[in-house]
């Protein structure tokens, strides 16, 4: 659904991103703190965890993953990962020893957490897997990595599966669908099954897309653009989109 924009959508501190964790929207802030907000009204939650200030990060938090019940893993762009309980009590910390990290990734095989930094995957055991171009997106289920040059490679074996024709800026994997935003301002929808991607629909996009995310069922895509607009694309019936 959609909510009317109100004063509750304004934030005093600069934010790096948002995540939906349980019943809350988790706001990742540039000052290294977090806010828990109600995901319907976006009002601050009225409990002791609505602002996790001083949780151990001195740099902006770029990603967060919910761990085992009651645990939260947060990652700042200096490579520091903190694991804490939702009541803020300290559990553990780990440093990926890399700058400009962007995302956390849960390994399919072992369930451990790894970090993505530009063209590298930094595993928790210290191993680094490096690719020829920037990592745009990964599919945790099939272990496919999509690079900005359009190539799709196997995450473990680093072998080339196949490639897309255009330079990739943003992408999002959903169930049986891959949504891609390219340098030529097109939003492309591919089927993503049987180890191949087939282009089914291409749309011209008038404004530059800055963020995109598809839901796990592959039925709705949300995009944000540099004109401060959010658009929702929905799958209709048996057609792709």
């Amino acid at each position: 659904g959609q909510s009317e924009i109100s004063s509750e959508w304004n934030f005093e501190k600069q934010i790096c991103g948002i995540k939906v964790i349980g019943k809350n929207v988790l706001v990742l802030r540039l000052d290294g703190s977090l806010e828990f907000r109600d995901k319907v009204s976006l009002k601050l939650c009225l409990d002791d965890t609505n602002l996790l200030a001083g949780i151990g990060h001195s740099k902006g938090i770029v990603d967060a993953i919910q761990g085992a019940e009651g645990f939260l893993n947060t990652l700042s762009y200096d490579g520091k990962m903190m694991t804490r309980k939702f009541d803020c009590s300290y559990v553990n910390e780990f440093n990926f020893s890399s700058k400009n990290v962007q995302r956390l990734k849960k390994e399919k095989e072992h369930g451990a957490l790894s970090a993505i930094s530009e063209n590298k995957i930094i595993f928790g055991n210290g191993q680094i897997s490096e690719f020829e171009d920037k990592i745009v997106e990964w599919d945790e289920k099939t272990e496919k990595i999509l690079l900005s040059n359009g190539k799709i490679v196997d995450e473990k074996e680093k072998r080339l599966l196949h490639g897309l024709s255009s330079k990739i800026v943003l992408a999002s994997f959903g169930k049986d669908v891959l949504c891609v935003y390219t340098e030529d301002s097109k939003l492309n929808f591919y089927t993503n099954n049987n180890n191949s991607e087939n282009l089914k629909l291409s749309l011209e996009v008038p404004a530059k897309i800055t963020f995109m995310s598809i839901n796990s069922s592959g039925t709705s895509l949300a995009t944000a653009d540099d004109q401060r607009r959010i658009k929702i694309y929905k799958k209709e019936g048996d057609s792709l989109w």
Side-chain angles (χ1 to χ4, degrees):
Q2 299 182 19
S3 301
E4 292 294 328
I5 295 177
S6 68
S7 60
E8 297 297 337
W9 288 66
N10 296 323
F11 300 96
E12 293 181 358
K13 299 289 185 178
Q14 198 168 355
I15 64 174
C16 298
I18 58 174
K19 300 282 285 190
V20 177
I21 302 288
K23 65 180 181 179
N24 301 127
V25 169
L26 188 63
V27 180
L28 316 177
R29 301 200 333 187
L30 189 62
D31 63 359
S33 62
L34 302 169
E35 288 180 8
F36 286 87
R37 290 178 175 252
D38 180 271
K39 68 181 179 183
V40 176
S41 66
L42 283 186
K43 292 182 179 179
L44 280 170
C45 299
L46 301 179
D47 56 37
D48 293 336
T49 63
N50 63 6
L51 177 59
L52 297 183
I55 63 169
H57 291 291
S58 58
K59 303 295 183 181
I61 301 176
V62 293
D63 203 1
I65 291 183
Q66 188 171 7
E69 185 175 354
F71 290 88
L72 179 69
N73 301 292
T74 56
L75 178 72
S76 49
Y77 70 81
D78 57 353
K80 188 175 183 180
M81 183 178 75
M82 303 290 297
T83 301
R84 289 181 177 265
K85 293 183 178 179
F86 278 92
D87 63 4
C88 302
S89 59
Y90 174 83
V91 178
N92 193 16
E93 68 179 74
F94 180 83
N95 199 318
F96 286 101
S97 301
S98 181
K99 296 181 179 180
N100 299 319
V101 294
Q102 300 153 358
R103 286 168 290 180
L104 278 173
K105 178 186 181 300
K106 184 176 290 186
E107 296 176 45
K108 179 180 178 182
E109 185 175 349
H110 305 292
L113 291 175
S114 302
I116 300 293
S117 177
E118 293 291 331
N119 65 329
K120 299 177 182 178
I121 299 178
I122 305 102
F123 296 93
N125 61 5
Q127 179 184 351
I128 296 177
S129 185
E130 190 168 349
F131 298 86
E132 65 181 36
D133 217 327
K134 181 180 178 181
I135 299 171
V136 178
E137 190 59 284
W138 71 82
D139 185 353
E140 294 183 9
K141 293 182 179 179
T142 62
E143 298 184 339
K144 292 178 180 179
I145 291 284
L146 175 61
L147 304 179
S148 60
N149 60 9
K151 292 183 178 180
I152 298 176
V153 298
D154 181 272
E155 176 187 342
K156 296 295 183 183
E157 301 178 11
K158 291 177 61 178
R159 61 186 177 88
L160 177 66
L161 298 177
H162 53 92
L164 308 180
S165 59
S166 302
K167 191 76 171 178
I168 309 300
V169 180
L170 297 168
S172 187
F173 282 99
K175 183 181 179 181
D176 299 331
V177 63
L178 168 61
C179 301
V180 168
Y181 176 61
T182 59
E183 271 190 350
D184 55 0
S185 300
K186 290 183 179 179
L187 190 58
N188 296 328
F189 296 84
Y190 297 84
T191 55
N192 176 34
N193 48 37
N194 298 324
N195 254 343
S196 65
E197 276 75 21
N198 298 307
L199 181 63
K200 293 297 182 180
L201 180 65
S202 183
L203 302 174
E204 291 281 350
V205 183
K208 180 181 178 181
I209 295 178
T210 55
F211 184 84
M212 60 190 293
S213 180
I214 195 170
N215 63 346
S216 58
S217 61
T219 56
S220 296
L221 173 74
T223 66
D225 62 36
D226 62 359
Q227 301 298 314
R228 303 177 67 182
R229 294 177 298 190
I230 293 175
K231 291 185 177 181
I232 308 295
Y233 299 83
K234 291 187 176 181
K235 183 177 180 180
E236 295 186 1
D238 295 329
S239 62
L240 182 60
W241 291 84

